[in-house]
Amino acid sequence: MAEKKYDIGLMGLAVMGQNLVLNMVDHGFDVAVFNRTTSKVDDFLATPEAQAKGDKLTGAHSLAELVSKLKSPRKIMLMIKSKDAVPAPELKLYPESAAVDAVIAELIPLLDKGDVIIDGGNTQFKDTERRTKYLQALGIRYIGTGVSGGEEGARRGPSMMPGGDPEAWPLVKPIFQAISAKVGPNKDVPCCDWIGERGAGHYVKMVHNGVEYGDMQLISDAYWILKNGLGLTNKELYEVFAEWNKTELDSYLVEITRDIFTVDDPETGKPLVDLILDAAGAKGTGKWMSQLALDLGVPSTLVTEAVYARAISAMKQPRVNASAILSGPTGQYTGDRKEFIDQVKQALYASKICSYAQGFVQMQAAAKEYDWKLDCGRIALLWRGGCIIRAVFLERIKDAYDKDPNLENLLLDPYFKNAVESAQGAWRNVVKTAFELGIPVPGFATALTYFDSYRSANLPANLIQAQRDYFGAHTYLRVDKPGEGPFHTDWINVKKS
Ligand code: 6PG
């Protein structure tokens, strides 16, 4: 009897890898697995869940063995853990590419033309661009895919954002779309679709993560002003977030925030959230998004502020020292509490809209720069389920791009324009109150500044241009002479009024 061949091979049996494998088998695919530390292969196959899969699952103790067990064209998915993810208080990037490059180099001689390598990690998109082109020249098809949703998502249905070599997509599409989360009235629309060529999938996943940073910071801003400005208890915070989760803020992150306020530390019986050191870690995708926004010259201020907020949080000892030296206001809000809670909700919603608007603007700018065709409506739909930023309001974003695929900014869509305009009074009051009380709300404040800047026909950059021309002859354009210039003035010797 001919030896059984498997539909797909997966290397990397950390939590995400194991759960993806079980998910694939649940959906009828035969999977072969491999891990560098081979005892992990045996341990995994010995688990009751893996045992129950019978011969639909097999192990390999080398890459060559893994490759030999696969149907042609072979599909090998790498779920290589970023082993040097740093916990707080350090905020460093991981040297992301070396491990994946080493495995690819090892795989190349084992593969035939037409075989597919898939990288499912959080990879910097430029590595995916480079690898796709390199492997294409060798006849090997490459996919770099975002996989979002953590452990539970990987097991029950993640959101997946594949990009790379378009010829590889039809080969993996049935597997990816089967295992991904499903949305829509009949729960049959997969949260997985082709994003675009080369690094497009990993870029979109990076923006997903940056938006995730923004969401988390905005929720934390709300938490902090409700806790310190109003003195809400954890029980009250639970109730507030539970209410909000029944509104347009309905989302995974608001839901888990609600639940976090109910968890007591088993050891001390105290609320666990109050025992956690306020020093945020990061693995770097938010930082990448911010760096790449700077490269493109687009104002993704929410993610940047969120990265900085994590950075200043990680400076725990300097903050403790400074808190003994620097003073500021200490009081609490004295107005109507119920009304203020509602205003915070509106500030959160309006800021969130600005954050998503920035994320989509960055993706559109990147598509132009890197020559991808991104479908913003479809991306919103992929984020509708399975992923960390899944939220009801993504449906609205999809509608906005369905109406106008070239929409310049979400804030210009009638629904979002109206939502932000009706929230802005409350939003301004929350930021003003936070500033008066000396409570930092970096996300709310930067979002409001973005909104006010974007809706300003005139900004003070005329003065910046004058300064640049004064000290460096950097020249300027004139409002009264469109199409002419650039102009330069001898600011020192010119006649002054
Ligand atoms: C996801 C998440 C995930 C990410 C973590 C940690 O989509 O499932 O985005 O990919 O790695 O959220 O990110 P940080 O450690 O940078 O906060």
Side-chain angles (χ1 to χ4, degrees):
M1 209 175 81
E3 200 193 334
K4 173 168 175 157
K5 298 281 182 189
Y6 291 77
D7 296 309
I8 186 165
L10 186 140
M11 173 181 176
L13 288 175
V15 173
M16 291 293 282
Q18 289 191 16
N19 282 294
L20 279 177
V21 168
L22 295 170
N23 185 351
M24 286 172 185
V25 177
D26 281 350
H27 284 91
F29 301 101
D30 295 344
V31 187
V33 299
F34 168 65
N35 196 80
R36 196 64 87 190
T37 310
T38 51
S39 58
K40 273 211 151 182
V41 175
D42 305 328
D43 292 348
F44 173 59
L45 292 177
T47 59
E49 238 190 327
Q51 286 279 306
K53 306 295 179 202
D55 71 346
K56 298 197 70 61
L57 199 50
T58 190
H61 285 139
S62 68
L63 264 185
E65 191 191 349
L66 181 78
V67 169
S68 75
K69 290 189 172 217
L70 302 178
K71 283 180 196 161
S72 201
R74 304 178 186 93
K75 297 159 215 70
I76 298 162
M77 183 158 187
L78 311 179
M79 290 302 295
I80 297 174
K81 214 173 153 228
S82 74
K83 56 180 173 5
D84 7 33
V86 285
E90 286 174 275
L91 266 178
K92 286 189 206 132
L93 270 189
Y94 46 85
E96 65 283 347
S97 15
V100 175
D101 278 337
V103 175
I104 290 173
E106 225 177 300
L107 273 172
I108 290 170
L110 301 171
L111 297 181
D112 292 324
K113 282 193 181 2
D115 287 346
V116 183
I117 302 175
I118 304 146
D119 169 21
N122 272 330
T123 297
Q124 217 276 7
F125 87 102
K126 284 187 181 159
D127 281 328
T128 310
E129 296 266 310
R130 167 176 66 79
R131 289 176 188 141
T132 308
K133 285 191 225 156
Y134 175 71
L135 289 167
Q136 229 157 14
L138 301 177
I140 295 172
R141 296 152 173 164
Y142 192 69
I143 284 193
T145 185
V147 180
S148 178
E151 188 178 339
E152 183 63 16
R155 183 70 185 88
R156 308 275 162 221
S159 163
M160 299 182 76
M161 295 146 248
D165 184 339
E167 285 188 12
W169 175 230
L171 302 172
V172 300
K173 183 178 173 182
I175 304 180
F176 279 19
Q177 292 200 332
I179 65 167
S180 71
K182 308 288 183 301
V183 291
N186 303 321
K187 293 265 172 279
D188 58 355
V189 183
C191 292
C192 171
D193 209 344
W194 184 245
I195 299 284
E197 302 218 0
R198 304 176 307 279
H202 272 140
Y203 198 97
V204 168
K205 174 59 167 58
M206 173 196 72
V207 172
H208 164 282
N209 282 25
V211 167
E212 173 186 301
Y213 274 54
D215 274 352
M216 291 164 77
Q217 185 57 46
L218 293 171
I219 291 171
S220 300
D221 283 5
Y223 159 55
W224 210 231
I225 193 161
L226 291 176
K227 183 180 167 75
N228 295 298
L230 283 189
L232 292 199
T233 62
N234 286 330
K235 187 169 176 298
E236 288 168 322
L237 285 163
Y238 164 82
E239 281 156 11
V240 166
F241 280 95
E243 266 322 298
W244 290 359
N245 202 42
K246 293 177 196 151
T247 68
E248 62 275 16
L249 286 174
D250 180 350
S251 60
Y252 172 70
L253 285 169
V254 168
E255 181 188 316
I256 64 165
T257 303
R258 173 197 71 191
D259 294 344
I260 283 169
F261 291 116
T262 65
V263 175
D264 288 333
D265 171 36
E267 216 177 300
T268 60
K270 293 183 181 154
L272 186 55
V273 68
D274 296 338
L275 296 175
I276 295 178
L277 183 72
D278 53 329
K283 294 203 208 83
T285 42
K287 177 172 156 179
W288 289 343
M289 176 173 166
S290 186
Q291 288 170 325
L292 290 164
L294 290 171
D295 287 346
L296 290 169
V298 296
S300 292
T301 57
L302 262 295
V303 64
T304 305
E305 197 60 52
V307 171
Y308 283 145
R310 290 192 190 194
I312 199 160
S313 82
M315 296 164 52
K316 177 69 178 177
Q317 197 50 50
R319 285 191 291 113
V320 171
N321 298 344
S323 73
I325 302 167
L326 304 172
S327 61
T330 50
Q332 285 207 342
Y333 188 69
T334 49
D336 186 300
R337 291 164 67 82
K338 211 166 166 284
E339 189 187 30
F340 191 68
I341 293 171
D342 184 61
Q343 289 183 344
V344 175
K345 177 188 153 222
Q346 295 190 55
L348 176 53
Y349 191 49
S351 304
K352 186 177 162 93
I353 292 170
C354 290
S355 174
Y356 282 67
Q358 292 181 353
F360 279 93
V361 165
Q362 181 165 341
M363 285 192 288
Q364 282 164 326
K368 244 189 228 150
E369 177 74 16
Y370 303 112
D371 198 19
W372 305 316
K373 282 181 201 65
L374 296 186
D375 180 336
C376 292
R378 206 163 50 171
I379 291 168
L381 189 71
L382 302 188
W383 292 351
R384 176 69 187 79
C387 62
I388 304 295
I389 63 169
R390 61 184 179 264
V392 168
F393 113 123
L394 281 155
E395 204 76 47
R396 296 288 189 176
I397 300 184
K398 186 187 178 301
D399 292 347
Y401 284 109
D402 281 353
K403 263 188 276 155
D404 179 2
N406 298 316
L407 185 64
E408 203 177 287
N409 189 305
L410 268 184
L411 290 166
L412 302 178
D413 170 76
Y415 170 82
F416 289 111
K417 165 184 149 59
N418 185 37
V420 171
E421 282 176 355
S422 46
Q424 72 172 301
W427 187 15
R428 289 184 195 285
N429 191 49
V430 170
V431 172
K432 188 182 91 181
T433 305
F435 280 13
E436 277 169 3
L437 297 177
I439 299 169
V441 283
F444 288 172
T446 201
L448 186 52
T449 299
Y450 172 75
F451 175 66
D452 283 337
S453 300
Y454 182 57
R455 62 176 195 84
S456 293
N458 297 308
L459 287 171
N462 50 332
L463 182 58
I464 290 172
Q465 288 298 79
Q467 291 163 337
R468 292 176 71 240
D469 193 54
Y470 193 123
F471 63 66
H474 293 298
T475 72
Y476 55 87
L477 298 178
R478 297 178 59 119
V479 288
D480 58 344
K481 294 181 180 171
E484 293 179 41
F487 300 94
H488 168 62
T489 296
D490 178 356
W491 294 85
I492 295 174
N493 295 314
V494 77
K495 187 170 164 293
K496 303 199 174 59
S497 52

